[in-house]
Amino acid sequence: MAKGESKVGAARPPAPGPSDGAESRIPNADVPAGGFVQLLTPDGDHVDSVTAADGTTYSVDFTDEEYRGLYRDMVTVRRLDAEATALQRQGELGIWASLLGQEAAQVGSGRALRTQDMAFPTYREHGVLYCRGIDPIMPFGLFRGVDQGAWDPNEFKVNMYTIVIGAQTLHATGYAMGINMDGKTGTDDGEAVIAYFGDGASSQGDVNEAFIWSAVFNAPMVFFCQNNQYAISEPLERQTRIPLYQRAAGFGFPGVRVDGNDVLASYAVTRHALDRARNGEGPTLVEAYTYRMGAHTTTDDPTRYRIASEVESWKAKDPIARFRAFLGKQTLADEAFFAEVDAQANEVALNLRERVLEMPDPKPLSLFDNVYPNGSPHLDAQRDQMAQYLDSFEGSAH
Amino acid sequence: MAKGESKVGAARPPAPGPSDGAESRIPNADVPAGGFVQLLTPDGDHVDSVTAADGTTYSVDFTDEEYRGLYRDMVTVRRLDAEATALQRQGELGIWASLLGQEAAQVGSGRALRTQDMAFPTYREHGVLYCRGIDPIMPFGLFRGVDQGAWDPNEFKVNMYTIVIGAQTLHATGYAMGINMDGKTGTDDGEAVIAYFGDGASSQGDVNEAFIWSAVFNAPMVFFCQNNQYAISEPLERQTRIPLYQRAAGFGFPGVRVDGNDVLASYAVTRHALDRARNGEGPTLVEAYTYRMGAHTTTDDPTRYRIASEVESWKAKDPIARFRAFLGKQTLADEAFFAEVDAQANEVALNLRERVLEMPDPKPLSLFDNVYPNGSPHLDAQRDQMAQYLDSFEGSAH
Amino acid sequence: MATETLTMGKALNRGLRRALEDDSKVVIMGEDVGKLGGVFRITDGLQKDFGEDRVIDTPLAESGIIGTAVGLAIRGYRPICEIQFDGFVYPAYDQIVSQVAKMHYRSQGRLRIPMVIRIPFGGGIGAVEHHSESPEAYFAHTAGLKVVSCGSPQDAYTMIRQAIASDDPIVFFEPKRRYHEKGVVELDTPLSAAEPLHASRVVRPGTDATILAYGPMVRTALDAAQAAAEDGRNLEVIDLRTLSPLDLGPVFESVRRTGRAVVVHEAPGNLGLGAEIAARVTEECFYSLESPVLRVTGYDTPYPAARVEEEYLPDLDRVLDAVDRAFGW
Amino acid sequence: MATETLTMGKALNRGLRRALEDDSKVVIMGEDVGKLGGVFRITDGLQKDFGEDRVIDTPLAESGIIGTAVGLAIRGYRPICEIQFDGFVYPAYDQIVSQVAKMHYRSQGRLRIPMVIRIPFGGGIGAVEHHSESPEAYFAHTAGLKVVSCGSPQDAYTMIRQAIASDDPIVFFEPKRRYHEKGVVELDTPLSAAEPLHASRVVRPGTDATILAYGPMVRTALDAAQAAAEDGRNLEVIDLRTLSPLDLGPVFESVRRTGRAVVVHEAPGNLGLGAEIAARVTEECFYSLESPVLRVTGYDTPYPAARVEEEYLPDLDRVLDAVDRAFGW
Ligand SMILES: Cc1ncc(C[n+]2csc(CCOP(=O)(O)OP(=O)(O)O)c2C)c(N)n1
Ligand SMILES: Cc1ncc(C[n+]2csc(CCOP(=O)(O)OP(=O)(O)O)c2C)c(N)n1
Ligand SMILES: [Mg+2]
Ligand SMILES: [Mg+2]
């Protein structure tokens, strides 16, 4: 479906703008106070374009195939996520941080990246990695406990996962400063950086320093905050008393809130912000308003801090269901397509499972590897000691 | 002079409001882009009241005696400051951080505090301490190197100086949370807290966390930022690309910029913000737009990073000269008064000098005192060892 | 006297509850300490019973937690700050090292910061990175802080109460992998009658060598002593309990008898607690030592991936190996 | 070969200049490093000659300095971060300990963070609080970081260039009270021909006891050796130079000859470098030691007010006193 074809009569959502500051979260309303950019309603109705308070008009222009691709992405990352949760339950992963409910925010923003762009994820952006074309097994080493990331950020244009909340936003900013220093901004094919973080992370000093740095150095940055309403058990009100996207204004760059359960709007807003950045117009904060449908991680028990009805109300806004409705309404896809996507996702997931189970445990002595690029005689001695010690046990092969 | 008596025809300064974000500092203009609250022009003309963009009207209502008192305060703290600089040059202080040029911001805000309020200074707020009625010698222990503050914050309602940039803003916020917990907010005689910090400090994570905390807990806080245009050698542009007072909006509380060289406006804006805080209306950020006329500290050489003409242009806005002009124009004071104030300030300064020179050096063994409220046998042993060691030198008396 | 069999986690919870009951100035602050009761449930039920002003869910920022707690302490409160995991204390490092540790000194005794910083620490739980660190040396090296660690449910219950009652700022390391281990806890002994907080203790008397441990390694050391006993070697085990200041009197006394000492901790050996203990024991017991003080510690690498952590962590075998080496010196 | 007499500060400046010339990826970042040339003028003139993109005045936030430098390093830059004073490194502690130190390990060697963190450290300059700290133990205890300190203008010039050229993340401690001391500096020796960065060095050979020092205390140790020589005692002085990893081979060799060792540093003794060195020397030279390894260090208090710092800091007399005690053991 090309731009302009759809004239579904959805009421235009309130444009993003200053709210009264009193109530930042109305869980049972479709649209939060202060509004957000939405191109696809929960019922799957598509509006052509939406103009935000700052005058920016957002729209998407996908081919039919691309629309179906977004659906396939979302279904696949959800299926992979479910497999990971199952693997954890079966003791095959130490822990898993599920993206359930955040597929649209991740696939929309992930697909908005151009090849030359660089992403700095937290620990939950499995969907973003997937959209970068990365083997879905890549983050599993960390969660299985066989490694701690172990990939080259520059090879995949995705930094390793960062668990220390907020730290990666500064890394992203520094990387983006480097883009400026390399003269790789100011044109349509410039480079840009996206830093992912959560609503909770917005309280960390590091994140606010990243805002300052990126503003002062006009870094080509998109700060992509997935506001999934919770930092483990703590609701958004523990982090801010006004909508998060407004934080940016205080630092002198634009902030925009997007319906994070709407893959089209997530794409459009992120793409626009990235293109601003690459063109030398500096940073943008995107708040993707979404919901963590599952537990914080597999060790969490969300029933202790949130009520079932809240979760239910968000189910009505499910990012995949609405996109499926949209594809159906627009006859962009039929049941056969949906079944094929499910089947393929299933296959990818089962393949992943198999490979996760085969991931080799690290060798004991490997714990001494790669502490320093130039090595250390002190560590070499410790390694030798450990080798000798292990040799003292019968039949040990390290 | 009571409110309303003066109808000097000063052009009303631009009210504070959003600027275009492009230029935050125009050193040679009287009024920065974005405006500020000013009640007294550099020529000493007093406007009755000024209404800011957010609708708040600021004015002062002093008796003649109080007006003269403000002048006396400013002259005295400047004179004491000059004495301190001289003492440092003569080797009697290790270092001195001069407040030269910031007298109005400090005296205005310091006098705005009510008895029950608590202040958290940086290392430059000698004028605020003075306004709290504290013996001017109090901060000299630190700068002479005989102690590290050594006063009880609760006795003077002023925390010790904090040298680690920004750290005190969190202390202030915690203290203010305690006021809420004690039920001491919500009335006209509630308690409030003021935290001082600089333009440079605004970049520290701690300061931004303090903004977040105070917003979330609706802490009775005034963040008083003396924007003196420099963090040592770095101009404001290294910290922000929009006016600093606008930072607050991103955290959900009001920010206001005041002419920090105008003691009346500094008083009015601070008093209003403190009263909001004590009444339970939460935090305010006040940006006092001023200029550090001297070096960062006595070890600094500002000629390396700023031009003489800039300093000259700010001399025209001198906070004391303008207040003196105002007193003269309004016939609130005559030459005899000015001479008497100078003489008295001189006397206070010479008295201070004498007492600084008499400050006793700490005894060697005192370095073991007060490490822990409950002491430590380990340290007791070290102290005994040191005592023995010192005894081994002939004629030592520790 | 009331005794109950409690896990260490529950014992800590009971200790915190007692402190909240006993002193209205005591407040608990941290991430998820409220409804969730903390990710380890150590504060379970406390917000419900004491309210949101006493058990405060904070914004997600550790420097903010400690920095605001300093302000609360100046105001007269006694804050207990929970750091969710060992690896997340570092954003608060400046506030702890430059503010908390120094306030009393700087004020020449006029100000007290009666703060307890609770840190679940150590590995062995199969966690991802940053969740298994042993940062105690950083704090023990910092003058102005006191540092303790509990090795049993009874100590957990008593020591947390003593730490809260103390006017010293105390970093309280909880051996998270022992949270679920049970022990009999005497609940009603008055604090004044309990063993002092800053005292080490012989937890198993012996004659042949002295094993020094704290926190999670106390259990490991006791297990090693048990195994050694079966081989006819009689090891004395001392639970250090206080890491700063160290209480080495009982250690010197023991080493003078045994002539051999092995220090065990999970933290990297390089500049760890073991180094300080070895240096001091050598100085005090120079002529009694049959072998140098040996150290069994984590290696000098970052904490490794979970599936190799068992190789990284000291265990019974490595302790016994060190004892053997001490005997073979 | 070009030699010049330079202060240590100027030698560092020349080393930085060379590094900026030699590698276009080298950038300097920090507070006031530009027009001002840093508060100690170590970067004097560099921004003028290399531009604002190579010598970057940053916002006032240490975590931001290190955190963005990590990003620049990922992008292929070689950042040199200046921390203005020792006491202001702590806000960056998390980025240093959890990010800089671990990136190479976490990536299994795929990522390098060739960062140098320059920290003017130590006391003796009459400064106010937070300006005279010796935090090296915090970093030496941290696996994944290397830590060095220079004791002479020549080493300052060579070691800073080696540190910048190294792919390891290095914390570079500069003895600020020695910035103004002069020495002859050989400027053109290729780095490949210079002594390795991570090597300790005998700076005064001797036979009777071994004095170990680094940074500001090298001068003090040499002065003590000079004074002892007048009393007929022949002390060997070793400049440790590398604090992590320690290069103790020459130390063991020396102590086996002398039988006595004294470690000197300004940092508090408790869990300081001296503890680790004492533990290792004892382990390696157990049967050669005539006395335990003694430590002459700052006391275990916060750094005191300037007017009493001379009592706090190790000096010639305290070093000689320790040597006496070693002989009297
Ligand atoms: C510095 C730090 N403190 C605490 C934690 C423990 N922790 C892990 S995730 C989390 C909540 C994060 O919330 P948010 O930023 O909203 O991201 P989300 O998990 O919701 O995606 C916390 C407190 C951590 N990882 N790092
Ligand atoms: C954490 C920290 N970093 C660096 C410094 C060194 N330093 C002292 S004052 C200063 C500049 C402060 O500027 P600003 O906040 O504008 O206050 P001003 O001195 O202008 O009043 C710096 C960088 C410090 N004291 N603390
Ligand atoms: Mg969240
Ligand atoms: Mg300033």
Side-chain angles (χ1 to χ4, degrees), chain A residues 199-200 226 228 230-231:
Chain A
D199 45 301
Q226 286 170 82
N228 63 6
Y230 287 92

Side-chain angles (χ1 to χ4, degrees), chain B residues 180-199:
Chain B
N180 277 348
M181 286 152 64
D182 290 344
K184 292 293 173 62
T185 29
T187 61
D188 281 355
D189 61 353
E191 296 181 40
V193 174
I194 190 165
Y196 289 88
F197 61 106
D199 45 301

Side-chain angles (χ1 to χ4, degrees), chain A residues 147 150 154 160-161 164 167 170-171 174-175 178-179 181-182 191 206 209 213 367 369-370 372-375 378, chain D residues 59 61 63-65 67-68 71-72 74-75 77 94-95 99 104-106 108-110 144-146 166-168 280:
Chain A
D147 64 42
N154 287 308
M160 287 178 290
Y161 278 5
V164 180
L170 282 170
H171 307 163
Y175 188 97
I179 292 176
M181 286 152 64
D182 290 343
E191 297 180 40
D206 272 10
E209 291 184 12
W213 239 264
L367 70 83
D369 293 346
N370 301 307
Y372 302 99
N374 295 335
H378 175 68
Chain D
S63 190
I65 294 172
T68 55
L72 280 163
I74 294 175
R75 177 93 190 163
Y77 284 87
D94 178 56
Q95 284 286 347
Q99 304 297 330
H104 187 66
Y105 196 67
R106 299 168 61 216
Q108 290 189 350
R110 293 176 181 91
L145 300 175
K146 289 189 176 174
S166 168
D167 276 0
D168 298 330
R280 269 150 77 179

Side-chain angles (χ1 to χ4, degrees), chain D residues 54-169:
Chain D
R54 301 286 306 281
V55 182
I56 305 168
D57 269 333
T58 66
L60 204 177
E62 287 76 11
S63 190
I65 294 172
I66 305 297
T68 55
V70 167
L72 280 163
I74 294 175
R75 177 93 190 163
Y77 284 87
R78 304 183 76 85
I80 306 166
C81 300
E82 174 171 308
I83 298 294
Q84 199 160 80
F85 279 90
D86 34 59
F88 307 138
V89 68
Y90 307 123
Y93 204 64
D94 178 56
Q95 284 286 347
I96 298 174
V97 164
S98 291
Q99 304 297 330
V100 175
K102 292 184 174 168
M103 283 284 186
H104 187 66
Y105 196 67
R106 299 168 61 216
S107 72
Q108 290 189 350
R110 293 176 181 91
L111 197 61
R112 293 173 177 220
I113 306 292
M115 189 188 298
V116 177
I117 302 173
R118 292 182 41 240
I119 308 182
F121 86 124
I125 61 162
V128 291
E129 49 176 1
H130 310 293
H131 290 73
S132 304
E133 314 245 315
S134 296
E136 62 272 18
Y138 296 133
F139 300 98
H141 181 57
T142 304
L145 300 175
K146 289 189 176 174
V147 183
V148 302
S149 186
C150 52
S152 71
Q154 177 70 66
D155 268 0
Y157 176 74
T158 308
M159 289 172 73
I160 191 67
R161 292 176 58 213
Q162 290 172 318
I164 297 165
S166 168
D167 276 0
D168 298 330

Side-chain angles (χ1 to χ4, degrees), chain B residues 186-354:
Chain B
T187 61
D188 281 355
D189 61 353
E191 296 181 40
V193 174
I194 190 165
Y196 289 88
F197 61 106
D199 45 301
S202 70
S203 292
Q204 279 286 10
D206 272 10
V207 175
N208 293 277
E209 291 184 11
F211 293 156
I212 289 165
W213 239 264
S214 65
V216 164
F217 293 102
N218 203 40
M221 279 288 303
V222 176
F223 291 99
F224 194 89
C225 178
Q226 284 170 83
N227 172 5
N228 63 6
Q229 313 301 329
Y230 287 92
I232 309 188
S233 73
E234 297 194 9
L236 186 64
E237 289 72 21
R238 289 283 95 176
Q239 320 294 344
T240 182
R241 64 181 193 188
I242 58 168
L244 271 177
Y245 75 91
Q246 296 178 11
R247 178 79 57 86
F251 294 96
F253 56 89
V256 53
R257 187 155 63 186
V258 64
D259 182 347
N261 284 15
D262 168 356
V263 68
L264 300 182
S266 294
Y267 176 93
V269 166
T270 311
R271 179 49 79 96
H272 180 265
L274 284 166
D275 285 348
R276 275 189 84 243
R278 81 181 75 258
N279 271 297
E281 292 167 63
T284 303
L285 168 62
V286 176
E287 177 192 355
Y289 197 83
T290 181
Y291 194 75
R292 195 193 74 210
M293 295 299 294
H296 170 68
T297 64
T298 43
T299 62
D300 180 39
D301 173 10
T303 64
R304 292 181 78 102
Y305 54 81
R306 65 187 192 186
I307 50 174
S309 63
E310 181 183 293
V311 183
E312 281 310 306
S313 79
W314 275 91
K315 275 199 184 141
K317 292 180 257 184
D318 185 274
I320 296 184
R322 85 164 72 170
F323 202 66
R324 182 179 171 134
F326 156 72
L327 292 178
K329 285 188 189 184
Q330 302 294 324
T331 62
L332 288 164
D334 56 14
E335 288 306 315
F337 170 77
F338 297 134
E340 182 266 321
V341 168
D342 285 347
Q344 209 198 340
N346 204 42
E347 199 176 309
V348 176
L350 295 179
N351 176 269
L352 173 81
R353 155 176 291 266
E354 221 164 89

Side-chain angles (χ1 to χ4, degrees), chain C residues 126-291:
Chain C
V128 291
E129 50 178 359
H130 311 293
H131 289 73
S132 303
E133 314 246 315
S134 296
E136 62 272 20
Y138 296 132
F139 300 97
H141 181 58
T142 305
L145 300 176
K146 289 190 177 175
V147 183
V148 301
S149 186
C150 53
S152 71
Q154 176 70 67
D155 268 0
Y157 176 75
T158 308
M159 289 172 72
I160 191 68
R161 291 177 58 213
Q162 290 171 319
I164 298 165
S166 168
D167 276 0
D168 298 329
I170 296 181
V171 186
F172 194 97
F173 282 101
E174 302 173 0
K176 67 169 94 81
R177 69 154 122 165
R178 307 295 181 200
Y179 274 152
H180 296 292
E181 296 184 8
K182 285 186 178 162
V184 174
V185 179
E186 158 56 58
L187 293 164
D188 292 335
T189 317
L191 287 188
S192 55
E195 187 147 18
L197 179 60
H198 296 290
S200 62
R201 180 171 57 215
V202 175
V203 288
R204 178 186 170 116
T207 51
D208 298 343
T210 308
I211 315 296
L212 307 170
Y214 55 89
M217 290 291 102
V218 175
R219 172 86 272 134
T220 306
L222 286 169
D223 290 348
Q226 184 66 36
E230 287 158 24
D231 289 354
R233 229 173 231 159
N234 192 355
L235 305 183
E236 177 146 310
V237 178
I238 295 182
D239 180 353
L240 291 167
R241 297 174 79 252
T242 175
L243 311 185
S244 179
L246 285 162
D247 175 35
L248 295 185
V251 175
F252 301 149
E253 192 278 320
S254 174
V255 175
R256 285 194 193 104
R257 276 190 286 110
T258 63
R260 292 177 179 86
V262 173
V263 196
V264 189
H265 56 67
E266 292 189 11
N270 194 36
L271 285 114
L273 264 289
E276 180 65 27
I277 292 166
R280 271 153 72 180
V281 167
T282 308
E283 200 169 323
E284 290 293 325
C285 311
F286 191 63
Y287 293 112
S288 313
L289 283 173
E290 304 287 339
S291 77

Side-chain angles (χ1 to χ4, degrees), chain A residues 101 106 148 156 193 197 205 220 263 267 295 302 332 348 350 354:
Chain A
Q106 294 197 13
Q148 296 173 326
F156 302 101
V193 174
F197 62 106
V263 68
Y267 176 93
L332 288 164
V348 175
L350 295 180
E354 222 164 87

